[in-house]
Amino acid sequence: SKLTLDGELTVAGNEFELTGEGSANKGKITIDGRGVFTIGGTLANSGTIAFGAAGSTLVVDGSLENAGTNAKIGDGTTTNGKLEVAGTLTNKNQVSANGIKVSGKLSNLSSDATGDTYTGKISAATLTIEKGGVVESDFDDGKYVVGTTIVEEGGAFVTKLNGSVASSTTKNALTG
C-alpha cells in the first residue's frame, strides 16, 4: 500500500502497516493509545508523526526520511511514544520519544551549507543501540538530548567527536 497524506490519520489501539514504496506524509499521523504504526516500505515525512500516549509505537522496518522545515516525529518531549528502528531512519529535523531502540540505522544529520540548512535533533529518555544497530549523531548542544544511551554488544554509536563508540563485550552505558 502507498500513502500520500495531506490531512490527518489516526492509528488508535490497533496496528497499521505501510508497505508501499514512495509514500509521503505532509499532514499529521497520530499514533494513539496502544496503536502501532509500522513502516515496511518507504515514507518521506515533511509533516508530523505524533505519539498520543506512552504506549504508542512507531516501527521503522523499511525507510523513513524525516526532512523539511516542519518535519517532526514526536512532540519534542520525552514523555510519550516508543520508536523502534530496524530499517533506516534519516533525521534532518526532530525526533523525540520516551524510548528509542535501534537495531538498524538512525542517522541524525546537520548541515549549515548555503541553501542546505537543517539541524537534526534527537530527544529521548533512553536510547538503546542493539546488536547490529548504528546511530550517527553529533553531541553538539541541542542535537542529541538523551537521558541514557546504552550501546549493547555489537552496536555502534558514530560521531565526529571520536569516530565511533562500539561495544564489543557487554552492555555499556553512556549518560548525558
Side-chain angles (χ1 to χ4, degrees):
S1 61
K2 179 179 174 181
L3 173 72
T4 302
L5 182 67
D6 288 321
E8 294 191 24
L9 171 69
T10 299
V11 178
N14 51 17
E15 295 185 21
F16 181 86
E17 184 171 3
L18 182 64
T19 57
E21 302 297 316
S23 293
N25 175 39
K26 297 177 184 176
K28 182 177 183 179
I29 299 169
T30 301
I31 308 164
D32 216 352
R34 298 224 171 262
V36 178
F37 181 64
T38 301
I39 299 167
T42 61
L43 176 67
N45 182 51
S46 59
T48 299
I49 300 175
F51 299 111
S56 305
T57 304
L58 173 62
V59 178
V60 181
D61 284 338
S63 176
L64 172 59
E65 180 162 340
N66 192 51
T69 307
N70 298 314
K72 62 182 179 176
I73 299 169
D75 62 4
T77 69
T78 58
T79 306
N80 286 335
K82 294 182 274 186
L83 174 60
E84 299 174 6
V85 181
T88 303
L89 171 55
T90 303
N91 179 48
K92 293 183 177 181
N93 200 354
Q94 173 185 304
V95 171
S96 60
N98 181 276
I100 300 174
K101 287 186 180 180
V102 181
S103 60
K105 185 173 184 180
L106 170 57
S107 298
N108 190 44
L109 306 177
S110 298
S111 174
D112 56 5
T114 303
D116 193 27
T117 57
Y118 49 88
T119 302
K121 177 182 179 180
I122 297 174
S123 301
T126 303
L127 186 142
T128 303
I129 306 168
E130 298 176 330
K131 182 177 183 175
V134 176
V135 173
E136 296 177 319
S137 182
D138 290 338
F139 282 125
D140 295 354
D141 289 339
K143 292 180 185 171
Y144 190 81
V145 185
V146 176
T148 302
T149 299
I150 300 167
V151 180
E152 293 183 351
E153 182 176 354
F157 192 106
V158 180
T159 179
K160 289 180 188 174
L161 176 68
N162 60 4
S164 71
V165 175
S167 175
S168 60
T169 56
T170 59
K171 291 184 179 181
N172 292 325
L174 306 171
T175 54

